[in-house]
Amino acid sequence: MIHTNIAITFGAVYFISSVFATWIDPSLLDACPGYNIANPASQGSTFTADLVLAGTACNVFGSDLKSLSLAVVYETENRIHVKIMDANGSRYEVPESVLPRPNATFGGSISSAAIQFNYTTSPFSFTIYRTSTSEVLFTTASHPLIFEPQYLRVKTVLPPNANIYGLGEHSDSFRLPTFNTTRTLWSRDAYEIPTGTNLYGNHPIYFEHRTTGTHGVFLLNSNGMDIKINDTESTDGSVTLEYNVLGGVLDFYFLAGSENDPLEVSKQYAEVVGTPAKVPYWSFGLHQCRFGYTSYVDVAEVITNYSEAGIPLETMWTDIDYMDGRRIFTVDPSYFPLDRMREIVDYLHIHDQKYVLMTDPAVAYAPGEGYGTYNRGSALDVWLKMPNGSAELALVWPGVTNYPDWFHPSIQDFWTTEFGLFYNTSDGIDIDGAWIDMNEPSNFCVLPCTDPFQQAQEMALPPPRTAPPPDPDTPIFGKSSSITSSSLGKREDLLNPPYAIQDAAGNLSALTAWTNATHANGLVEYDTHNLYGTMMSVATRAAMLARRPGLRTLVITRSTFAGAGAHVGKWLGDNFSSWQEYRLSIAGMLGMAGVYQIPMVGSDICGYAENTTSTLCARWAMLGGFYPFMRNHNADTSISQEFYRWPVTAQAAKNVLDIRYRLMDYFYTTFHQASLNGSPVLQALWYKYPNDTSTYPIDLQFLFGPSILVSPVTDENSTSVTIYLPRDTFYEFLTLKPVFGTGANVTLTNVDFTEIPVYIIGGSILPLRVNGTMTTTELRQNDFEIVVAPSAGGNASGQLYVDDGVSLEQTNGTTALTFDYQDGALSVNGNFGYNLGVNVASVKILGVNQSPKNVSVVDQSGQSIGHGTFSYDAGSKVVEVALGVAFDKAFEVHMQEA
């Protein structure tokens, strides 16, 4: 056993926990007998066989199962599904209600598939290889399969210096270390998001990138697991990757990816777990929150201060401060009275702004206290249960609590009802989006947790208010307040399985729900723990959609499992105000948006815990402008860090929000494309430059969509940064000047704290708004300018998607355009089904070495349109063509060289 002490912090509550992780000599596991194949059978695209224990059982962590069943299905040309199960009885599998399985659509000969399944009979092993090259992508040769009641082991060998990405959630580098690395998947409340540990969510998917192609491996299993990566077990530097799983079945999806386009593996993974949910246009604006706004007056003042500072604030958020005794679906009548909260929401909506509140899962245990949410939940009996049938008692912010059982048949009705009652338009708080937290689920009760009521008293939960309540008639917004308006066996096995994963919290039940807690359908937390946050996410999104039928919503969660992105977005949790976590946020985003199909992601800008500085916050504001989800948020024990607090951060925020708002339709189009086919919204550089080995470890630069390269300054208080520019043509976003990458590092100097290096990638065409605005509603009334950034070969392309920005179904039509530039001619074509109501102000063509002889603008019939004038800037090499025509029809711009 390995024993390590780790300090775990919840606000002002401190615990010391222990990690007990099992280590065993790999050679002992490799000496196990494995299985032999019997009764193999092939029919079309399906192969089945029995697996029979090949010798004397190892019984390393329990009794080896003697008989297994194997099913292999070529589901598509690019996907093979391999499933190994108990032949003599059912075992837990991730329910299809949580993650629906993809359809098998392959109808051709298996020899035409992009990847192949091959096996050895005795002892059984299998290999996945590329059909075109016979390159092995995954093989279990020399490493026998182990299948026991509470321990499953599969091990493969990868090339030396393997480029492995995924296996999150984690705060490690985007490219995973291959030396003695363990990625543990078991949801926990991970304050400070420490590196090298399990965090809030679980995604047992990895992409492996090679110069010969990119492929993916997804293990659909929600049990706790250690995935061990090591390059020390062979003499040639080969890397082993070993799954050590606490239960369930082995349910693998092998994704062929592509030999030349890494984006393909992302799309193929989306076919399995679902494409990302569409989010409203307004959600790309700036969000502001804090744990520690003491009253409604604080909230209103922040809204006012952003406006007075001239910093665009799209959405105001409020943490659990607003609750009465930290109970969900309540307001504190003294600090956040309902009528004043409704006044804030009305003010925001009148000014085209939005409002979001926190909702935790745990419901205060309050029999006989008139707490409606508890009473209604108890009447429906929707609480997670202990083995004796009593509701589990946990300890969270309100004190002793019950956990909702997301498998209960009445749980959606309960949750939708509570959202409908508390967040209703007529007499509740009319929120625009939802924020869900603590859904690992988190539990403050320290094991053995025999008396949560006593621990609640010792921890002072719920925490008492420390500030006096405001006058209920305090004017806000400069006016008066008056307004009108399946079982695994013995209990001890569920609590202490024979194989101990490297859970940083210690025991599996530490600081979360008991692993022997039981759901209404008979499933236990031992199996379903990692699904809790995603199931809450699904229920919350459904409740929000029921509040506003037909309208998209924004739901941001903390805990996720594979497939969560089809329903919600995600923030990266309780980070610290440090330069290290500023840097690590990029790798965290790349994991969520680039691998796990959760693109609406961001980190708490300026840091959540401890005190930020003006320079760190300014740099973080600039980087945060390129988070898909842009939110400033921090803790109650930290100094205030709204962007207007320091002149340098205020200017940084203004600058980057102007860039972000001009790019917003490009962002929106990128998200739309992701919702169609899973194209990653954020990309590591190797996604774009797969043959450039220098890009493989880079995770301090990234691409937003296919056309924008972001290269922030990352060193503390520095005004210089060394970045890598692949061999390609780039254009500075602000000056539009060309920059020619040579596949080498470039050092940029004198980068002010209010600046961030951003480049347009050659070969792109961007539809930009002419300038930023204070709200996204106002932004949609601004004209477009089209920026053409040719490649070294003189070509470029792009696209634009526009709809009403809020509806699930587009009854007013959509506009979907393509831009193409070659031989000095720009063509704009497509479907103008949605009325943009604005003009194309201009077209800018970059990288033009001399002023053209003339420029003409014509419509589809060849008739001249627009002003027909142009200007040329020799310093930036930009031709600007003035148009001023309605953006409602196709047109072309022809440039004739001098």
Side-chain angles (χ1 to χ4, degrees):
M1 295 287 186
I2 297 173
H3 178 269
T4 306
N5 286 327
I6 290 182
I8 299 175
T9 313
F10 297 95
V13 185
Y14 296 85
F15 302 107
I16 298 296
S17 187
S18 298
V19 177
F20 294 92
T22 300
W23 183 87
I24 190 168
D25 189 334
S27 65
L28 297 179
L29 299 177
D30 285 342
C32 289
Y35 293 80
N36 292 332
I37 274 198
N39 305 315
S42 297
Q43 183 174 1
S45 58
T46 300
F47 171 78
T48 60
D50 298 327
L51 300 179
V52 181
L53 194 65
T56 303
C58 258
N59 299 336
V60 61
F61 296 112
S63 299
D64 290 353
L65 273 64
K66 292 182 171 55
S67 300
L68 306 175
S69 62
L70 167 69
V72 180
V73 181
Y74 288 71
E75 293 190 338
T76 71
E77 180 183 357
N78 298 299
R79 184 176 74 237
I80 296 178
H81 186 191
V82 177
K83 191 172 183 179
I84 302 174
M85 304 158 285
D86 183 355
N88 298 317
S90 62
R91 288 171 62 91
Y92 167 77
E93 301 180 31
V94 175
E96 291 220 23
S97 61
V98 180
L99 187 64
R101 304 305 192 263
N103 294 324
T105 60
F106 188 64
S109 167
I110 61 174
S111 63
S112 65
I115 51 176
Q116 300 292 320
F117 172 89
N118 189 33
Y119 68 91
T120 300
T121 300
S122 179
F124 166 70
S125 66
F126 72 90
T127 297
I128 303 293
Y129 65 91
R130 285 203 187 278
T131 307
S132 60
T133 63
S134 298
E135 181 182 19
V136 173
L137 307 181
F138 189 99
T139 178
T140 64
S142 304
H143 300 293
L145 169 67
I146 300 175
F147 204 116
E148 297 172 351
Q150 291 182 263
Y151 178 71
L152 314 180
R153 186 239 197 183
V154 172
K155 189 171 185 176
T156 186
V157 179
L158 306 177
N161 302 311
N163 301 298
I164 306 167
Y165 308 86
L167 301 178
E169 180 180 1
H170 62 78
S171 55
D172 300 328
S173 57
F174 184 50
R175 184 176 69 171
L176 290 172
T178 57
F179 173 74
N180 196 26
T181 295
T182 298
R183 293 292 322 114
T184 299
L185 303 190
W186 187 255
S187 299
R188 74 179 184 99
D189 186 337
Y191 186 71
E192 194 185 2
I193 56 172
T195 58
T197 70
N198 51 311
L199 301 182
Y200 309 101
N202 307 278
H203 298 273
I205 168 73
Y206 74 83
F207 295 170
E208 188 197 345
H209 179 65
R210 307 176 184 178
T211 56
T212 54
T214 314
H215 65 277
V217 179
F218 174 45
L219 173 59
L220 178 50
N221 184 300
S222 64
N223 287 85
M225 67 181 75
D226 284 337
I227 304 170
K228 299 181 179 182
I229 305 169
N230 208 343
D231 58 10
T232 65
E233 296 182 15
S234 65
T235 57
D236 65 354
S238 296
V239 175
T240 57
L241 188 149
E242 177 185 86
Y243 297 88
N244 299 267
V245 189
L246 294 185
V249 300
L250 296 171
D251 197 358
F252 282 101
Y253 290 86
F254 294 96
L255 310 174
S258 168
E259 294 178 53
N260 49 45
D261 185 1
L263 302 186
E264 289 302 308
V265 73
S266 293
K267 298 174 184 178
Q268 292 162 19
Y269 183 55
E271 292 175 357
V272 178
V273 300
T275 54
K278 287 190 173 183
V279 292
Y281 189 90
W282 59 261
S283 66
F284 295 105
L286 171 64
H287 304 258
Q288 174 62 50
C289 187
R290 181 178 185 175
F291 178 26
Y293 291 137
T294 61
S295 72
Y296 73 92
V297 178
D298 282 358
V299 175
E301 286 179 350
V302 170
I303 297 167
T304 300
N305 290 342
Y306 265 100
S307 178
E308 291 181 350
I311 302 172
L313 175 64
E314 186 73 13
T315 306
M316 187 67 198
W317 295 48
T318 306
D319 209 314
I320 57 177
D321 307 283
Y322 75 90
M323 300 177 186
D324 188 10
R326 303 291 168 89
R327 296 180 177 186
I328 61 173
F329 303 119
T330 68
V331 291
D332 188 310
S334 298
Y335 291 81
F336 293 86
L338 182 60
D339 60 333
R340 307 312 304 275
M341 295 293 282
R342 285 179 54 79
E343 182 181 354
I344 288 173
V345 175
D346 287 346
Y347 178 91
L348 288 168
H349 288 172
I350 289 170
H351 291 83
D352 295 322
Q353 294 167 292
K354 311 297 179 184
Y355 194 51
V356 173
L357 284 178
M358 162 84 79
T359 305
D360 287 337
V363 175
Y365 176 78
E369 297 182 24
Y371 177 31
T373 298
Y374 172 79
N375 293 341
R376 288 183 289 271
S378 297
L380 292 171
D381 197 27
V382 294
W383 311 130
L384 190 61
K385 299 294 181 62
M386 295 302 291
N388 65 6
S390 65
E392 178 178 0
L393 296 179
L395 191 59
V396 197
W397 291 116
V400 179
T401 57
N402 293 145
Y403 290 128
D405 174 5
W406 304 112
F407 283 107
H408 194 284
S410 298
I411 194 65
Q412 187 64 65
D413 288 343
F414 165 70
W415 204 240
T416 299
T417 295
E418 297 309 307
F419 267 71
L421 289 171
F422 185 65
Y423 296 126
N424 71 82
T425 303
S426 58
D427 58 5
I429 302 177
D430 187 19
I431 58 173
D432 300 283
W435 177 23
I436 53 179
D437 188 14
M438 311 293 286
N439 54 357
E440 293 73 35
S442 180
N443 186 356
F444 298 164
C445 201
V446 180
L447 295 180
C449 192
T450 54
D451 189 348
F453 296 94
Q454 178 63 32
Q455 288 198 33
Q457 293 181 21
E458 294 170 355
M459 297 181 193
L461 295 173
R465 300 275 184 181
T466 58
D471 185 325
D473 295 322
T474 301
I476 57 176
F477 306 124
K479 61 180 181 180
S480 166
S481 66
S482 59
I483 62 169
T484 56
S485 60
S486 75
S487 178
L488 286 174
K490 298 179 181 179
R491 174 181 174 182
E492 59 268 27
D493 291 339
L494 298 178
L495 297 175
N496 299 294
Y499 176 86
I501 61 174
Q502 193 170 299
D503 177 15
N507 185 288
L508 285 183
S509 300
L511 305 178
T512 189
W514 288 102
T515 49
N516 64 347
T518 307
H519 294 273
N521 60 358
L523 297 179
V524 292
E525 273 293 287
Y526 180 89
D527 294 318
T528 65
H529 167 83
N530 285 346
L531 304 178
Y532 196 90
T534 291
M535 296 190 70
M536 181 189 183
S537 298
V538 173
T540 301
R541 181 171 186 265
M544 288 294 291
L545 295 179
R547 288 183 59 247
R548 294 178 173 179
L551 296 183
R552 298 177 208 164
T553 189
L554 174 71
V555 179
I556 298 295
T557 185
R558 189 166 75 176
S559 182
T560 58
F561 185 72
H567 311 278
V568 296
K570 147 84 180 170
W571 101 101
L572 294 178
D574 296 339
N575 61 357
F576 270 37
S577 296
S578 71
W579 289 89
Q580 179 191 23
E581 299 211 6
Y582 159 80
R583 290 186 289 268
L584 288 174
S585 71
I586 301 174
M589 286 194 308
L590 287 173
M592 289 293 163
V595 179
Y596 313 137
Q597 290 292 333
I598 307 178
M600 196 60 178
V601 61
S603 181
D604 282 345
I605 297 173
C606 302
Y608 173 76
E610 300 187 337
N611 294 331
T612 192
T613 65
S614 60
T615 52
L616 173 59
C617 199
R619 284 286 183 226
W620 216 325
M622 300 304 295
L623 172 60
F626 294 90
Y627 290 171
F629 171 58
M630 183 185 185
R631 185 184 68 170
N632 182 329
H633 175 52
N634 71 324
D636 57 340
T637 55
S638 306
I639 62 172
S640 298
Q641 63 181 36
E642 293 85 3
F643 290 143
Y644 53 75
R645 295 288 176 178
W646 302 277
V648 67
T649 57
Q651 192 59 54
K654 290 178 183 179
N655 289 354
V656 80
L657 283 165
D658 184 70
I659 297 172
R660 182 181 179 91
Y661 279 44
R662 291 181 63 207
L663 280 165
M664 193 162 291
D665 293 272
Y666 166 76
F667 287 6
Y668 192 75
T669 299
T670 302
F671 265 76
H672 172 70
Q673 194 62 39
S675 74
L676 296 179
N677 65 8
S679 296
V681 167
L682 298 184
Q683 303 172 22
L685 269 67
W686 60 264
Y687 284 44
K688 183 80 171 181
Y689 305 99
N691 295 318
D692 186 342
T693 57
S694 295
T695 65
Y696 298 173
I698 293 176
D699 58 11
L700 295 180
Q701 299 171 255
F702 61 97
L703 277 61
F704 198 124
S707 302
I708 294 294
L709 171 63
V710 184
S711 303
V713 177
T714 53
D715 288 339
E716 181 173 358
N717 293 330
S718 177
T719 56
S720 66
V721 60
T722 298
I723 66 174
Y724 182 78
L725 287 181
R727 190 175 298 277
D728 203 348
T729 301
F730 303 89
Y731 300 86
E732 295 178 354
F733 183 83
L734 292 180
T735 69
L736 304 180
K737 293 180 179 179
V739 177
F740 302 103
T742 61
N745 289 333
V746 176
T747 298
L748 308 178
T749 59
N750 299 318
V751 183
D752 192 82
F753 287 96
T754 62
E755 299 173 343
I756 184 171
V758 178
Y759 300 92
I760 305 170
I761 299 173
S764 305
I765 300 178
L766 295 178
L768 305 179
R769 298 287 180 167
V770 293
N771 55 259
T773 56
M774 290 297 288
T775 66
T776 61
T777 298
E778 182 185 358
L779 181 68
R780 291 171 66 91
Q781 300 166 14
N782 269 14
D783 289 345
F784 280 92
E785 63 178 12
I786 298 173
V787 176
V788 179
S791 66
N795 302 321
S797 62
Q799 55 186 330
L800 171 66
Y801 173 82
V802 185
D803 57 24
D804 69 11
V806 294
S807 299
L808 290 170
E809 302 294 333
Q810 294 299 320
T811 58
N812 293 322
T814 64
T815 286
L817 308 180
T818 59
F819 308 108
D820 183 71
Y821 179 82
Q822 51 187 326
D823 299 326
L826 168 69
S827 62
V828 178
N829 294 290
N831 171 39
F832 289 86
Y834 178 77
N835 181 14
L836 300 178
V838 297
N839 291 343
V840 179
S842 66
V843 169
K844 294 179 179 178
I845 303 173
L846 315 186
V848 181
N849 290 322
Q850 58 181 336
S851 179
K853 182 176 182 179
N854 62 62
V855 176
S856 61
V857 184
V858 298
D859 61 18
Q860 281 184 307
S861 64
Q863 296 295 312
S864 179
I865 59 174
H867 302 307
T869 60
F870 72 92
S871 61
Y872 177 70
D873 186 323
S876 61
K877 300 183 183 299
V878 174
V879 173
E880 181 171 1
V881 184
L883 268 72
V885 299
F887 203 178
D888 59 2
K889 56 183 175 295
F891 65 89
E892 295 180 357
V893 177
H894 296 270
M895 184 174 64
Q896 184 178 359
E897 295 182 1

